Amino acid sequence: MGLPKVRIAVNVSGYQLQQHELLDTIRNVLDKSQLDPRWLELEITESVIMQNPEFAIRVLGELRDLGVYLAIDDFGTGYSSLAHLKRFHVNSLKIDKSFVRDLESSSTDAAITTAIIEMGKSLDMCITAEGVETQGQMSFLHGIKCNEIQGFLLSKPVRAGEIEGLLRKDGFGVLVDT
């Protein structure tokens, strides 16, 4: 259809992550759809990983070996163990919207957001700020070199039939810092 390639993000629940057939299911879906694994992003929250960290770390490593893109969703609201973070085998951290919401008015939220971005980048991770709703938030994030943003500033949720138009829209999906 001439559309740009975009990564499709899918949330993984704690129940799904603990299922031993998860890897086989993902392999089958990738095979049937002929989707290059790098275009599939699995989002897992810290709290889900911490339900059974050793098992989760093994599964995440196998998923990453498949070429699937892995993100820790809502980063900063869960267990945020730096010791575990280095073992998670993830590509990306998604900063929870609770920090982004007030970063223009709260020096604490601004400092936490900046620290997460710096830490993630030092670990060679892509950093996404969730819940971006204002131009001021986007400007702040651009200034501290956040890689990606998501939120209502770009688009409200749309129905499946509206995705094509959204992807064709000029400027949609632009990275804050390419």
Side-chain angles (χ1 to χ4, degrees):
M1 296 177 68
L3 295 171
K5 291 182 179 182
V6 294
R7 192 172 292 117
I8 303 298
V10 177
N11 289 311
V12 176
S13 72
Y15 175 78
Q16 291 168 316
L17 188 64
Q18 300 303 318
Q19 299 305 303
H20 293 281
E21 65 272 1
L22 177 66
L23 288 166
D24 289 335
T25 300
I26 291 172
R27 283 187 194 104
N28 289 335
V29 167
L30 290 170
D31 187 50
K32 285 182 182 178
S33 67
Q34 296 298 298
L35 180 68
D36 184 328
R38 68 185 167 146
W39 298 112
L40 174 62
E41 175 178 328
L42 298 180
E43 294 184 4
I44 302 114
T45 63
E46 295 170 88
S47 56
V48 163
I49 293 171
M50 296 311 294
Q51 290 173 7
N52 186 348
E54 294 309 315
F55 180 76
I57 288 167
R58 184 182 60 75
V59 171
L60 293 175
E62 291 181 42
L63 288 167
R64 182 136 184 204
D65 290 347
L66 279 177
V68 173
Y69 192 88
L70 301 171
I72 295 181
D73 197 16
D74 301 334
F75 186 77
T77 62
Y79 298 92
S80 299
S81 167
L82 300 180
H84 282 105
L85 183 60
K86 70 180 186 176
R87 300 174 58 213
F88 287 163
H89 306 287
V90 298
N91 306 95
S92 175
L93 295 178
K94 299 185 104 174
I95 302 170
D96 187 71
K97 64 185 174 187
S98 65
F99 299 112
V100 174
R101 178 180 36 247
D102 296 323
L103 62 77
E104 295 175 273
S105 60
S106 167
S107 60
T108 301
D109 286 349
I112 290 169
T113 300
T114 301
I116 292 170
I117 290 169
E118 290 299 317
M119 178 197 59
K121 285 186 165 217
S122 71
L123 295 171
D124 200 28
M125 294 178 181
C126 178
I127 309 301
T128 303
E130 298 181 305
V132 177
E133 297 182 2
T134 70
Q135 197 66 44
Q137 291 165 338
M138 186 171 79
S139 295
F140 179 89
L141 293 161
H142 178 72
I144 60 173
K145 307 230 183 299
C146 185
N147 300 105
E148 299 175 354
I149 63 169
Q150 72 179 56
F152 288 169
L153 183 64
L154 295 177
S155 175
K156 300 239 188 293
V158 297
R159 297 186 182 282
E162 300 172 64
I163 297 292
E164 181 181 347
L166 190 61
L167 289 174
R168 292 190 189 282
K169 180 178 166 186
D170 287 339
F172 182 78
V174 173
L175 298 178
V176 173
D177 177 34
T178 57

